[in-house]
Each structure stands twice: as structure tokens, then as C-alpha cells.
Amino acid sequence: MYPATSAGGPEYNKDRMTKMTELYIKKNAKHTALPSLQLQRLMETNLLNETIFDEVCLADQPTPMGVIGEQGGKAIFETWIDLQYDNIKAVYIYKALLADGGATACAKYLRSPVCKHLEHIDLLDNGITAVGAIELGRALKSNQTLQSLALDHNPLDNAGAIALCDNLKYNGFLQRLSLNYCNIGADGGKAIADVLAGKSSECRIEEMVLQGNALGSEGLVNVVEGLGTNTMLKVCFLDSEVCPPAC
């Protein structure tokens, strides 16, 4: 957990939180979305304490009517981009139905100059498909800060896994990728194997998590063969078992 920070000074921090609150309200109105109660409380608390935040965790009915949704996700990421809020190190948004529109907004944030310190993103169970994965993959191609990406329980399918892997070949900064229960089959497993094998790749992933996917025997063989030539990976989780690189 990253603590709230007072690095900017009390007056600066109050100004930042006030402007963020105002801009967030406008963005929600623009997208006809309801604001996240948790994010509003986070801004209010930091305003009161004259601090700013660098971690966001949103889950458990975060709006008066339920989940954040696709439009609400756009409002959040656009607020940070337009405010040029560059303090965030970790974003966790769970079961919020961000869908592909929210994932695309997240990808835009990842590509923006504002994203200077972001190290962790976890978008558990948000209904993100291959469409959103393609956008996130494109963002990974240029992002140089993210160390951990988790997209567990999203129906990415083979196309999503392939899109992520195609762009991970150009990313030398991501260290952990978690794709549990993402409907990845043999073709997706081959794409993952190619990245792990280092074929024309700058990938530096040290931990890969692939539990609960339908890789099948062919996909598993592909992944294991990729592990055989990998010199960076420290651990790979497959079907509820830990598989060391030498397996």
C-alpha cells in the first residue's frame, strides 16, 4: 500500500484535490456516468488532510447505483490526464464493468506523458475482451513505468493474449503479467511461448500467471518449451501449480 504523500506542500495539495474533484464531476457529466463513491471519499480525505494520493483501489459498489461502468472508467482516466496528475503508482479497479471502453481509456492514460510513476495496474473481472486487450497492448509497447499488469477473469480469448504478447516483445519494463481465467487457448499459449522464448523480444517478465485457461496439451507444451530457453522468468503459474523455468 502506498501512503498518501505531502510532497507538494499543504496549499499545493489542497489545490490539486479541489481541481480534481471539480474536473471529475465535469467528466462524469460529459459521459453521463455516476461518480465512484470510493474515489470521491479518497479525494475528500486527502483534501481534508492536505495530502495527495498515489494509489487507487475501487471495488464493492463504488457508485450510488452500483458499478463504475464503461463511461465511469472514461471519466476517471480522463480526469487524471487532463489534470496532469502524475503521482499515481498503483491502480486497482475490481468488478466494475469497465469493459473495452474503460480499458481503452486506461490505455490512453498509460500512453500519456502524465503516466510517469505508475507501476501496478489490476483490472480484475471487468468484462474486458480482446478489443480492450489490443489497446492495452499498444500502450505497453511504449510505456516504460509499468511493472505489473493483472487482467484476471476477463474474457480476453486468444486474440487478446496474442495482442498483448505482440506488443510485449517491445517492452523491457513489465515484470509480472497475470492472465488467470481469461479464456486463453492453444493459440494464445503459443504467443505467450514465443515471448517467453525471447524470439525477437525485449520482454523481461519475471512472473507469468496463467491459471484457469484452456491451453490444452498443445498450449501447455508450447509454454513449457518457451520456458526452456527463457533466462529472465523466475516463476510461472499453470493450472494451480507452480512451474519453475527449468520444468
Side-chain angles (χ1 to χ4, degrees):
M1 179 71 70
Y2 296 100
T5 176
S6 57
E11 291 303 318
Y12 173 83
N13 295 338
K14 286 173 63 177
D15 180 67
R16 294 293 274 172
M17 288 299 103
T18 298
K19 289 180 177 177
M20 182 182 291
T21 301
E22 294 172 351
L23 184 56
Y24 183 50
I25 291 173
K26 292 179 181 178
K27 290 294 182 180
N28 277 285
K30 171 188 173 182
H31 292 291
T32 319
L34 290 171
S36 162
L37 296 179
Q38 289 176 321
L39 183 54
Q40 285 185 315
R41 292 190 193 106
L42 180 63
M43 292 186 290
E44 291 169 359
T45 299
N46 279 268
L47 179 61
L48 181 63
N49 295 332
E50 299 179 339
T51 55
I52 55 179
F53 60 85
D54 51 17
E55 179 178 290
V56 179
C57 183
L58 306 177
D60 303 327
Q61 297 184 347
T63 79
M65 299 298 291
V67 296
I68 294 170
E70 192 169 23
Q71 301 305 316
K74 293 177 183 178
I76 291 171
F77 290 110
E78 287 181 11
T79 295
W80 296 338
I81 293 173
D82 289 0
L83 188 63
Q84 297 184 18
Y85 190 75
D86 60 1
N87 301 89
I88 297 176
K89 296 181 179 179
V91 175
Y92 307 95
I93 303 179
Y94 301 142
K95 300 182 178 181
L97 290 180
L98 294 182
D100 294 324
T104 299
C106 179
K108 183 178 180 181
Y109 173 65
L110 276 170
R111 289 194 299 266
S112 74
V114 175
C115 191
K116 296 179 179 179
H117 306 292
L118 185 64
E119 298 174 356
H120 307 283
I121 289 182
D122 189 341
L123 303 179
L124 169 75
D125 197 5
N126 272 285
I128 299 169
T129 72
V131 175
I134 289 170
E135 294 302 322
L136 289 169
R138 289 171 178 166
L140 288 176
K141 188 173 182 178
S142 59
N143 181 274
Q144 299 183 2
T145 66
L146 198 66
Q147 298 176 15
S148 174
L149 174 63
L151 297 173
D152 302 335
H153 292 271
N154 286 290
L156 306 182
D157 299 324
N158 286 324
I162 291 170
L164 287 172
C165 291
D166 283 348
N167 289 285
L168 278 174
K169 294 176 182 179
Y170 306 99
N171 182 300
F173 300 89
L174 194 72
Q175 298 175 12
R176 182 180 187 274
L177 178 62
S178 184
L179 301 175
N180 288 327
Y181 297 93
C182 288
N183 296 340
I184 300 172
D187 290 344
K190 186 179 186 306
I192 292 168
D194 288 346
V195 169
L196 294 179
K199 295 180 180 179
S200 303
S201 176
E202 298 178 16
C203 183
R204 296 293 182 269
I205 288 181
E206 297 180 359
E207 181 177 337
M208 180 76 77
V209 188
L210 297 168
Q211 293 169 295
N213 288 292
L215 296 176
S217 57
E218 181 183 353
L220 287 171
V221 169
N222 286 332
V223 172
V224 171
E225 287 180 349
L227 294 175
T229 57
N230 185 285
T231 59
M232 297 297 299
L233 198 71
K234 295 180 179 178
V235 63
C236 179
F237 291 86
L238 293 169
D239 294 333
S240 302
E241 296 180 359
V242 179
C243 180
C247 71

